[in-house]
Structures are given as C-alpha cells and as structure tokens.
Amino acid sequence: MAISDRRSSLEMARMIRSTDRRKIAALAGIAPIARDSGQRNGRRVISGGRATVRTALYLAALHASRHSAKFKAFRRKLQEAGKSVKAALTATARKLFNGMVANRNNFRRFRQPE
C-alpha cells in the first residue's frame, strides 16, 4: 500500500465519522455544486473536497461499475438515460461512498449477493 493510498483511506475514515451524508460528500469532493444565478441554471459540477479521496472513489467506482452487477446496472441505467460517462461514474462513486457511510459502524467488505 502506497503512502497516498494510506493517506486517502485515513482521510476517508475521518470524514465518515461526521454525521451528515451531504457534508461528508462535500468533503470528499463528490457532491454536485450548483452554479446558478438568477434565472440562469448552470450545470452541476463536482469540486473542492479532498483530491486524494475523490480520486480513490472515482477509481473504485470505475472498477465496481465494470465488475459488480449492482453497480454495472446502475451505471448502464444512467448512461441509457443520457448522462455522460463521467457523470455516471461520479454518481456511481457517490452511491459507493453513501454505502460506506451507511455501514460506518460495521465496516464489512462489500460482497456481491450470490
């Protein structure tokens, strides 16, 4: 395990201890941020947060969306609805992260249903 991997996993563990999942997602850098002004509705973008955590989540989502049936179906559904590949991967990362936050009291490895 490289130093950056350890650092990102430590940062994730610290963030997960927080109470609000929206704040946690913002700290991880995967929360959609609105760029609206008046009647102008801009695109939602992800920014801020911790880059190491965001990168680790993005790569985990990429792997999960290729090898896990649950996440593969989720990403395919989003892309068929017209979302870009990056938007679908970001949503997959957020779904993966929310699952981690929901199981923060009992960190068990993700296992696919058999």
Side-chain angles (χ1 to χ4, degrees), residues 12-105:
M12 260 193 259
R14 287 184 192 134
M15 283 189 295
I16 289 176
R17 289 188 195 125
S18 180
T19 56
D20 186 17
R21 64 183 173 86
R22 289 178 186 91
K23 288 180 185 176
I24 295 170
L27 281 171
I30 55 172
I33 299 174
R35 299 273 167 99
D36 299 340
S37 176
Q39 292 187 352
R40 179 185 166 277
N41 289 331
R43 292 179 58 194
R44 275 40 178 172
V45 295
I46 58 169
S47 64
R50 291 172 173 83
T52 55
V53 175
R54 184 173 52 244
T55 303
L57 285 170
Y58 190 82
L59 290 174
L62 182 64
H63 184 77
S65 68
R66 289 181 180 171
H67 301 288
S68 169
K70 175 183 175 182
F71 292 108
K72 187 185 288 189
F74 179 72
R75 179 180 169 190
R76 185 179 304 126
K77 181 182 84 167
L78 290 175
Q79 287 181 319
E80 288 173 357
K83 299 292 182 189
S84 68
V85 174
K86 185 170 181 179
L89 277 174
T90 304
T92 306
R94 182 133 189 220
K95 184 178 183 80
L96 185 67
F97 191 63
N98 284 340
M100 289 171 55
V101 170
N103 290 326
R104 66 180 157 217
N105 292 331

